Amino acid sequence: MAELEFIHVGKTYGGEAPAVRDLNLKIDEGEFVVLVGPSGCGKTTALRMVAGLEEITEGEIRIGDRVVNDLAPRERDIAMVFQNYALYPHKTIYENLAFGLRMRKVPKDEQRRRVEEIAQKLGLADMLNRRPAQLSGGQRQRVAMGRAIVREPEAFLMDEPLSNLDAKLRVQMRAEIARIQQALEVTTLYVTHDQVEAMTMGDRVAVMRDGVLQQVDTPQRLYDAPANLFVASFVGSPPMNLFEATVEADGTQLVFGETRLELGGRLLRDYSGRRLVVGIRPEEVREASGWDGARVRGRVLLVEALGAEQLIHIEIAASPLERADLVDAAAQPPGPTLGVEELERSVTLLGRFDRHLLLTPGEAVEVAIDPSLLHFFDLETGLALPTTDVPAVAGVAG
């Protein structure tokens, strides 16, 4: 095992905009780090630079104590698992698993020992004489992983290995990959566009956008304290609700539409009289009955029944976020289908509610918002804003 480190790494293709810009990221020995972001963000390019499949334009990549910029892929002692499995269809599973060892001239007895040991761990022991066409997609993916594991490399690189699987099998395999990685304690860099996959698998998650690393932290910290609007809108399913509001009363009140919200002990004094972006997770939008604090009035637009819970789309009076360039636009819920004048002052608030709450489209509703759970972002830069605690009481007028 070894550390992986990107030091001011950049990659530019010809005269185009950089695919990766000044990437600095250290992956500790035995750590599982996930690179996540939308298509074209540079995550796969970063992975391929570690593998030696792409030359870097600037900076250094280290594997352990070696700078590997100029080393050929086979000299880097890494193993890669691809999206398309890349198995040899004419070879048996045993031969596929042993191929890398045979190429490295590992003695046959040692080849057999390693292959049988890994096959047992991956549930492939009774399939060693089959060929890939005789296996399911999940089994083939386990073979691809086994071929990487059996080499005992310094690090694993995984490029969206679950994207070809169906939804149920993806859930099973991401748990399996995480379990195997924890058991082997091998340094792993994993690339995916699926933020749910990233959050459930990684020790840390690195979010990228347009070739730039936005934030790297534990999954829970990314969820609880996003560094900017893009991370806030990308991490979480469903995504965070975002809208604009004005700070008033010396930084102690928030005003949007009909609502005047006491910040309940949170002070934004430097933003008094200014507009900012407010964020709240759908999980934190609550049923108002029995709630003594802040309430927001709205109208039900859509109810999505999911069995154990339901997602309710609620139209509220507030200004939609105009700086769409600062967020993951694909993750934002659609706006209410109203006339132009109403649309300009309305946003869709998405809430996650218990299945027993009976609401129908068109119905007026009040929802509860705890001011202590709100997130605030600068309207110009998109960066998260710190708040200062002061004594206050939550309430609403509207």
Side-chain angles (χ1 to χ4, degrees):
M1 293 184 294
E3 297 176 347
L4 295 179
E5 189 171 9
F6 297 85
I7 304 173
H8 299 295
V9 171
K11 173 64 178 179
T12 303
Y13 294 98
E16 300 178 6
V20 175
R21 313 181 196 195
D22 195 28
L23 177 58
N24 291 279
L25 176 64
K26 184 177 181 181
I27 303 164
D28 293 330
E29 188 174 319
E31 188 178 23
F32 193 131
V33 170
V34 180
L35 273 179
V36 66
S39 297
C41 73
K43 57 188 185 295
T44 296
T45 299
L47 189 83
R48 288 173 61 84
M49 286 191 288
V50 176
L53 303 177
E54 297 278 0
E55 293 185 3
I56 72 173
T57 305
E58 58 187 10
E60 284 185 357
I61 293 177
R62 291 179 174 269
I63 300 177
D65 57 0
R66 299 182 301 159
V67 176
V68 299
N69 293 21
D70 300 321
L71 294 183
R74 64 184 179 182
E75 298 176 294
R76 300 190 181 201
D77 196 16
I78 52 91
M80 194 161 181
V81 180
F82 296 94
Q83 177 179 338
N84 62 358
Y85 316 140
L87 302 179
Y88 296 104
H90 61 287
K91 294 181 182 293
T92 65
I93 302 310
Y94 181 92
E95 291 167 338
N96 269 280
L97 291 172
F99 182 78
L101 300 178
R102 185 162 62 84
M103 294 300 291
R104 291 169 179 261
K105 303 189 186 312
V106 174
K108 287 188 176 181
D109 288 346
E110 178 66 8
Q111 288 182 35
R112 180 167 294 278
R113 183 193 69 79
R114 289 201 208 175
V115 168
E116 290 179 349
E117 180 181 338
I118 293 302
Q120 191 67 40
K121 287 182 178 180
L122 294 179
L124 299 170
D126 59 347
M127 304 176 192
L128 292 177
N129 292 323
R130 300 184 192 178
R131 285 182 167 76
Q134 297 173 282
L135 304 186
S136 68
Q139 290 166 340
R140 276 180 273 178
Q141 190 56 270
R142 291 208 298 273
V143 175
M145 286 187 58
R147 188 176 56 186
I149 294 168
V150 77
R151 285 181 45 201
E152 299 178 357
E154 294 275 19
F156 291 154
L157 305 179
M158 299 190 182
D159 186 13
E160 305 205 42
L162 307 184
S163 60
N164 286 338
L165 305 181
D166 62 50
K168 183 178 180 180
L169 191 54
R170 247 192 338 262
V171 172
Q172 295 173 351
M173 283 303 299
R174 74 187 186 209
E176 186 76 5
I177 289 174
R179 181 189 66 79
I180 292 167
Q181 193 277 336
Q182 289 172 7
L184 298 174
E185 297 183 332
V186 177
T187 309
T188 303
L189 181 60
Y190 185 105
V191 162
T192 181
H193 65 276
D194 185 337
Q195 56 94 12
V196 175
E197 201 171 288
M199 297 286 282
T200 54
M201 295 177 71
D203 297 323
R204 287 188 301 152
V205 177
V207 182
M208 293 188 69
R209 184 193 192 195
D210 296 335
V212 178
L213 183 63
Q214 303 290 307
Q215 185 176 357
V216 56
D217 215 323
T218 63
Q220 194 61 51
R221 281 287 298 168
L222 286 178
Y223 179 89
D224 291 336
N228 57 40
L229 275 169
F230 178 79
V231 177
S233 62
F234 188 83
V235 172
S237 181
M240 183 183 288
N241 296 293
L242 298 168
F243 54 90
E244 294 184 18
T246 302
V247 180
E248 294 187 0
D250 200 25
T252 62
Q253 291 183 352
L254 199 66
V255 178
F256 53 94
E258 305 169 347
T259 304
R260 182 175 293 272
L261 193 68
E262 294 286 345
L263 290 179
R266 308 183 74 191
L267 182 64
L268 289 161
R269 188 182 301 276
D270 291 345
Y271 275 76
S272 184
R274 296 170 59 185
R275 293 183 69 75
L276 46 65
V277 181
V278 180
I280 185 167
R281 297 280 182 195
E283 296 78 18
E284 308 298 353
V285 179
R286 302 171 178 176
E287 185 182 355
S289 60
W291 174 258
D292 295 330
R295 299 187 181 202
V296 176
R297 300 184 182 96
R299 179 172 66 91
V300 177
L301 296 174
L302 176 67
V303 177
E304 296 181 79
L306 302 178
E309 61 183 9
Q310 54 186 333
L311 299 179
I312 300 180
H313 300 245
I314 302 167
E315 175 201 359
I316 65 169
S319 297
L321 177 61
E322 294 182 358
R323 292 293 307 276
D325 59 307
L326 296 176
V327 300
D328 176 29
Q332 294 308 296
T337 54
L338 301 172
V340 174
E341 291 185 3
E342 284 194 274
L343 184 61
E344 289 178 351
R345 61 180 182 84
S346 301
V347 298
T348 298
L349 189 70
L350 186 60
R352 191 193 294 268
F353 293 92
D354 184 87
R355 62 179 175 172
H356 300 298
L357 181 63
L358 300 178
L359 292 173
T360 57
E363 182 178 348
V365 66
E366 280 191 335
V367 293
I369 290 181
D370 184 345
S372 68
L373 299 176
L374 294 176
H375 299 259
F376 304 104
F377 303 90
D378 186 277
L379 190 56
E380 297 302 318
T381 66
L383 296 177
L385 300 175
T387 57
T388 305
D389 293 337
V390 295
V393 178
V396 66

